[in-house]
Amino acid sequence: MDHVPFDDAETYEPEDGWGRAALAGSDEFTFEWFEKPAGHSSPMHDHENEQVCVCLEGELTIHTEEETVVLGEYDSVWLESWETHRVENATDERAVGLDVFAPGRGFDFWTDREE
């Protein structure tokens, strides 16, 4: 068993106000809690990992090259490996979500990213 108390989770901020925390996981899958400030969007990107994004608080808008969906509280979306996407908080309130990645990934996806 690998217990990760939320207050002890490894955290990082890819951009100001966009906080992420690594929850319990493995090489096969990882869980990342995140918060997005009002008006924030990640850049369009893709990765080898499949991704499930769950909205825990507020509203998140997921954009792909093909479509856009709006997630309300507890709604979720699945993204295929290499599917180009971005996650946006288009509201005036903070949004909170949970990302699940398979296979697992580390923070270096954002911290070592070159634009």
Side-chain angles (χ1 to χ4, degrees), residues 21-26 29-33 98-101 105 107:
L23 306 180
S26 70
F29 62 91
T30 53
F31 288 80
E32 287 188 23
W33 174 96
L98 178 69
D99 281 334
V100 181
F101 298 101
R105 74 173 199 194
F107 287 163

Side-chain angles (χ1 to χ4, degrees), residues 33-34 54-60 72-75 95-98:
W33 174 96
F34 67 90
V54 181
C55 182
L56 300 176
E57 179 183 319
E59 186 177 282
L60 294 168
E73 190 173 34
Y74 307 123
D75 291 343
V96 176
L98 178 69

